Amino acid sequence: MTRYAGNAAALRALVRDQEVHRDVYVSEEVFQLEMEHMFPNSWVYVGHDSQVPNAGDYFGTTIGTQPILMVRHTDGTVKVLHNRCPHKGTRITSETCGNAGKFFRCPYHAWSFRTDGSLLAIPLKKGYENTGFEQSHAASGMAPVRHVRNYRGFVFAKINDGGLDFEEFFGDSLSSFDNMIDRSPVGQLKVAGGVLRYMHNCNWKMLVENQTDTCHPMVAHESSAGTVVEVWKKAPPGTKKPMAVEIIAPFMSPYEFFENMGIRIWDNGHGHTGVHHSIHSDYSAVSGYFEKMTVAYGEERAKAILGENRHNTVYFPNIMIKGPIQLLRHFKPIAANKTLVESWTFQLVDAPDMLLERTLMYNRLINAPTSIVGHDDLEMYERAQEGLHSNGNEWVNLQRLYSPDEAGQTNVAVNGTSEWPMRHQFRAWTKFMTMGM
Amino acid sequence: MSMVAEAPLKNAIPTDQELIDFVVREARLIDQQRFDEWLDLYADDAYYWMPLEWNQTDPRLTCSLMYEDKLLLSIRVERLKGARTFSQKPKSRCHHVLQTPQVDSRDPAANNYVTWTPMHYIETRMDEQTLFAAWATHHLGVENGRLKIKLKRVDLINCDAAFGNIQLFM
């Protein structure tokens, strides 16, 4: 049964000012339309160019559910290609990452392609003479994703020709990337430490919304962060606070802490929590780091860079970054009720190793499938995914601190417990979902 | 929950059989959810390590699934008892099938004994049952006439796969 395909009005009706219909989370048809419209109309994160440092290096990932490849071409630029042989559709690479050498070779019939996707050679070429092969889709090689932008190492791509250009799509929100990157004394990040992969039986948007939900930590995480606080209280007086306690305990901060920390709203669904302070603000100084930053940037600028303590920056549709600890989470949609979460960490080039150690500890303690904090969150998402099948109420409430004049506003900082960011994400969802319909 | 209590070592240097019995007993304490007794098997400066990468050598600058000191392990055990530990309502249960542990090295002078135990571990909650295959490496030492774990390393055969929740201890 199709209710929404080609029906922009029906899709728009799913999102109201203060609530959204459950079908945005549970309907397989809505999910398919997200893959056909919303993801291709958006600038979607692909990967970091440090994952492909040398010519021929590739990294396989997805935009929505479409398999793509990020590859370092022979001219040094990063290309994004559809990971599909133009002949029979075979996925070209078997490993997630590797080096193709000078060309990709399909393992099925040995068609080969330059690292920009163009067709290099096919076996038994004579068999295609007088068949009009030159005019076929296949002759043009592996289709490139045409709209690619490498922003200071972070590679984004847009599949459709329509939609917004890169600057229009991101606007001022790129300041969170800038701050994360500027924390390196040489202004450079490098993927490091490995990627955590965590399978969630819930809709991808639940994860995105949760990044700006500041009213759940002290409730859902009482079992993990609350226990940390309780166990730590029993430590003998004068014991040095362990890094693990510094990382987990702030999740138990009271409502007032989160109200005061603030949320900033940008255009197109982007925004960040932690305008004034965040759960990352009170980490112990790392020996030698500030001195390096001062040499690199001057004291005033170094203080300004490190004084930003943005908590979670959401880049619509499906990533979140934590600038103060150089972490990126990628929420990869698989089905309406299934999402793969990849948590990537970055090393600040030319900064002390201790910063990477802290980043990795954070990732392990919060984002791993073996993390007790992660268990708290996933339990809630899975209960929501099930509970939404109740016919008792078809609507999800997003009303907290709603104001009728908020829709047109951008680049504003508001109360840190507002559900404005979620309403704002759904306004963007409607926009990119119905664009071109 | 009857099980013969841990016997003190007969001599200052443990026999292979005593090392093997210790490893088997540790798994049984987890399966029977006797987590306080289980925690007591760990030395104060012990680590429980579950690497994220195949043949991982560095727990510090490479991420792990778990790399936990005794404080973090005790937090996990306390959390399992909590009234608001929602992801454990209902509770998970688990089951170990061990091969006989092999004693890989004995170094009485350094008070270090290493065992290697291939195992299958099953964790279950509600209608879900998940099977993991792993190798457990125990670094053991003698403290006050008792064996203690200095490091337990659990290498999953599919350490880099995308997992759902893994809630208990392997």
Side-chain angles (χ1 to χ4, degrees):
Chain A
M1 188 176 74
T2 58
R3 299 170 65 176
Y4 300 111
N7 190 345
L11 286 166
R12 283 193 195 100
L14 292 172
V15 177
R16 297 176 176 171
D17 283 344
Q18 305 172 10
E19 57 188 7
V20 293
H21 192 268
R22 65 171 172 191
D23 278 4
V24 304
Y25 305 99
V26 302
S27 160
E28 277 296 337
E29 190 197 1
V30 170
F31 179 84
Q32 288 309 324
L33 293 169
E34 288 177 337
M35 298 306 111
E36 286 171 36
H37 298 280
M38 204 210 67
F39 276 81
N41 283 331
S42 304
W43 284 90
V44 178
Y45 179 66
V46 174
H48 191 263
D49 70 4
S50 65
Q51 293 168 264
V52 289
N54 304 309
D57 286 349
Y58 64 83
F59 167 66
T61 179
T62 48
I63 293 180
T65 49
Q66 299 188 43
I68 55 153
L69 270 178
M70 171 172 79
V71 57
R72 182 77 68 171
H73 188 42
T74 39
D75 68 0
T77 59
V78 173
K79 307 287 183 192
V80 178
L81 309 173
H82 288 273
N83 194 355
R84 173 206 196 277
C85 180
H87 179 204
K88 302 275 278 186
T90 313
R91 184 163 52 85
I92 294 290
T93 57
S94 54
E95 306 223 35
T96 303
C97 55
N99 185 283
K102 288 196 166 47
F103 58 89
F104 289 109
R105 181 177 183 271
C106 178
Y108 197 178
H109 301 94
W111 288 32
S112 61
F113 311 92
R114 294 178 192 88
T115 47
D116 62 357
S118 59
L119 188 64
L120 180 64
I122 52 176
L124 299 172
K125 202 168 178 202
K126 280 188 177 170
Y128 292 93
E129 279 175 11
N130 305 316
T131 64
F133 179 70
E134 292 74 15
Q135 282 74 53
S136 70
H137 287 295
S140 59
M142 292 169 69
V145 178
R146 274 192 295 277
H147 308 282
V148 177
R149 181 66 179 271
N150 183 343
Y151 185 80
R152 301 188 68 183
F154 290 84
V155 177
F156 290 85
K158 181 164 66 70
I159 286 180
N160 283 354
D161 288 334
L164 308 180
D165 68 28
F166 184 83
E167 276 72 19
E168 216 181 341
F169 185 82
F170 284 115
D172 295 330
S173 73
L174 294 168
S175 58
S176 281
F177 271 114
D178 288 335
N179 180 258
M180 180 160 83
I181 300 161
D182 290 345
R183 286 168 177 264
S184 152
V186 293
Q188 206 182 331
L189 297 183
K190 194 178 156 195
V191 164
V195 56
L196 277 168
R197 303 170 68 233
Y198 196 171
M199 196 62 83
H200 281 45
N201 290 318
C202 67
N203 188 271
W204 63 276
K205 294 186 290 299
M206 291 181 182
L207 282 136
V208 179
E209 286 172 46
N210 187 62
Q211 305 312 307
T212 57
D213 183 318
T214 54
C215 287
H216 84 281
M218 67 299 286
V219 183
H221 299 308
E222 186 183 330
S223 93
S224 51
T227 306
V228 169
V229 172
E230 289 308 309
V231 170
W232 176 239
K233 274 184 193 161
K234 291 175 201 144
T239 314
K240 187 180 178 297
K241 198 185 225 182
M243 194 190 274
V245 176
E246 273 191 0
I247 286 171
I248 305 183
F251 282 77
M252 282 309 283
S253 303
Y255 288 116
E256 193 185 18
F257 174 92
F258 289 103
E259 285 188 314
N260 292 337
M261 86 179 196
I263 295 182
R264 184 173 282 118
I265 312 284
W266 289 300
D267 268 338
N268 299 321
H270 317 307
H272 78 88
T273 52
V275 176
H276 309 294
H277 58 262
S278 79
I279 61 166
H280 308 300
S281 297
D282 293 328
Y283 293 161
S284 299
V286 170
S287 170
Y289 174 50
F290 183 69
E291 291 73 8
K292 274 202 152 177
M293 289 291 283
T294 303
V295 170
Y297 293 102
E299 190 175 337
E300 196 182 339
R301 173 100 178 96
K303 275 186 179 160
I305 292 167
L306 301 178
E308 278 287 351
N309 273 294
R310 299 182 185 190
H311 176 160
N312 294 340
T313 299
V314 171
Y315 288 99
F316 188 82
N318 67 329
I319 61 164
M320 176 276 272
I321 69 166
K322 280 184 172 293
I325 54 162
Q326 303 86 51
L327 191 147
L328 182 152
R329 289 212 293 161
H330 196 169
F331 309 117
K332 291 182 153 179
I334 294 174
N337 61 356
K338 196 167 188 182
T339 306
L340 172 64
V341 188
E342 289 182 347
S343 297
W344 294 89
T345 44
F346 298 88
Q347 184 164 26
L348 296 167
V349 175
D350 204 28
D353 281 348
M354 180 59 89
L355 288 157
L356 177 60
E357 186 175 350
R358 184 166 68 196
T359 297
L360 295 178
M361 180 180 276
Y362 187 97
N363 209 20
R364 189 171 74 228
L365 293 178
I366 312 299
N367 299 328
T370 37
S371 148
I372 53 179
V373 177
H375 295 166
D376 294 336
D377 286 317
L378 180 50
E379 177 69 15
M380 295 308 135
Y381 307 145
E382 291 185 344
R383 288 191 192 199
Q385 194 71 32
E386 282 182 30
L388 286 172
H389 288 276
S390 157
N391 288 338
N393 170 8
E394 296 186 356
W395 296 89
V396 172
N397 188 287
L398 300 173
Q399 200 158 5
R400 195 164 57 240
L401 293 168
Y402 171 74
S403 154
D405 65 349
E406 71 183 27
Q409 296 185 49
T410 182
N411 211 351
V412 287
V414 298
N415 182 303
T417 61
S418 174
E419 282 171 342
W420 188 338
M422 298 168 211
R423 297 189 286 272
H424 175 67
Q425 284 158 21
F426 274 105
R427 287 180 196 119
W429 182 88
T430 308
K431 174 176 171 178
F432 295 106
M433 190 76 162
T434 58
M435 193 174 260
M437 249 183 208
Chain B
M1 208 62 84
S2 72
M3 178 182 175
V4 180
E6 184 194 359
L9 293 171
K10 297 233 165 51
N11 298 296
I13 296 172
T15 63
D16 279 7
Q17 191 59 48
E18 283 172 324
L19 295 170
I20 292 165
D21 289 348
F22 180 90
V23 171
V24 171
R25 184 170 192 273
E26 193 226 345
R28 181 166 171 175
L29 288 177
I30 300 172
D31 286 354
Q32 295 187 321
Q33 307 206 7
R34 295 157 69 181
F35 294 120
D36 289 315
E37 287 171 78
W38 171 76
L39 201 55
D40 194 42
L41 300 180
Y42 285 76
D44 287 344
D45 57 353
Y47 274 88
Y48 181 108
W49 184 17
M50 190 184 287
L52 176 64
E53 292 189 349
W54 182 247
N55 292 331
Q56 186 174 330
T57 54
D58 179 7
R60 202 176 137 249
L61 298 180
T62 302
C63 198
S64 299
L65 288 162
M66 284 176 74
Y67 184 63
E68 308 227 332
D69 59 13
K70 206 165 173 183
L71 175 74
L72 285 170
L73 291 179
S74 65
I75 285 163
R76 281 181 186 267
V77 167
E78 283 307 306
R79 175 179 177 272
L80 290 172
K81 301 171 187 167
R84 292 188 180 141
T85 304
F86 304 113
S87 79
Q88 284 295 288
K89 288 179 177 296
K91 287 185 182 300
S92 301
R93 292 190 292 265
C94 68
H95 180 226
H96 286 78
V97 180
L98 308 184
Q99 275 187 24
T100 304
Q102 298 163 41
V103 179
D104 275 5
S105 76
R106 313 176 46 92
D107 187 347
N111 191 25
N112 196 40
Y113 305 89
V114 181
T115 64
W116 161 264
T117 314
M119 65 183 193
H120 285 182
Y121 168 86
I122 294 144
E123 197 170 287
T124 175
R125 181 171 174 250
M126 295 192 276
D127 294 340
E128 293 275 326
Q129 180 167 290
T130 316
L131 170 67
F132 301 89
W135 298 273
T137 309
H138 286 75
H139 295 250
L140 305 173
V142 180
E143 269 182 27
N144 302 320
R146 290 180 62 203
L147 279 169
K148 290 271 188 181
I149 298 169
K150 298 199 277 192
L151 170 68
K152 179 178 180 182
R153 171 177 172 144
V154 178
D155 283 277
L156 288 170
I157 186 167
N158 58 343
C159 50
D160 45 9
F163 299 112
N165 281 347
I166 300 173
Q167 302 220 40
L168 301 177
F169 305 96
M170 290 195 198

